[in-house]
Amino acid sequence: MQHLPAIVVVLTVLLQLGTIWATGHAREKYGVKAPAISGHPAFERAWRVQMNTLESTVAFLPSLWLAVQYGFPLWAGVAGLVWVFGRVWYAVAYLQDAAKRGPGFMVSSAAWLATLLLGVVGLVKALLAG
């Protein structure tokens, strides 16, 4: 399972590509011409999914790296899989109805916090040891 964190990174990139595709598809389907980011509600939901996922990824990936670098690659990988699952759940739910995005958001947030906690604990242990 040493490659699990790398698999999580690949899945995260694929998730980003999926949200980009969904936004582009919605832009075309609902006739929202660039550079507009408002128009049809379905397009706006796709746009928010893309942006929210991008924002979440910016916090998640460094936390994953810290947890892997400082001694918890397996647990970081598992938490990373949960994060990806939660973000996919969030995206699918949000695209259908913005009010349904909460559970996926909570799952991915808990997984992100787990990677952050693992990274901080590992870093503190390394600092104290050395």
Side-chain angles (χ1 to χ4, degrees), residues 25-71:
H25 179 72
R27 183 178 292 281
E28 178 79 19
K29 182 175 181 179
Y30 299 109
V32 179
K33 304 293 182 202
I37 57 170
S38 64
H40 194 279
F43 167 76
E44 292 177 10
R45 286 193 305 275
W47 172 258
R48 287 310 317 151
V49 166
Q50 181 186 358
M51 291 299 103
N52 290 346
T53 301
L54 179 60
E55 293 162 359
S56 183
T57 300
V58 168
F60 167 68
L61 286 178
S63 300
L64 177 71
W65 180 85
L66 281 171
V68 170
Q69 184 69 26
Y70 287 99

Side-chain angles (χ1 to χ4, degrees), residues 81-97:
L81 288 177
V82 173
W83 182 87
V84 170
F85 169 78
R87 291 310 299 185
V88 169
W89 182 5
Y90 166 88
V92 170
Y94 201 154
L95 288 171
Q96 294 172 355
D97 178 357

Side-chain angles (χ1 to χ4, degrees), residues 104-129:
F105 174 81
M106 293 304 293
V107 167
S108 64
S109 294
W112 167 66
L113 286 172
T115 61
L116 181 60
L117 181 62
L118 289 169
V120 168
V121 166
L123 177 59
V124 167
K125 285 172 63 176
L127 289 170
L128 293 175

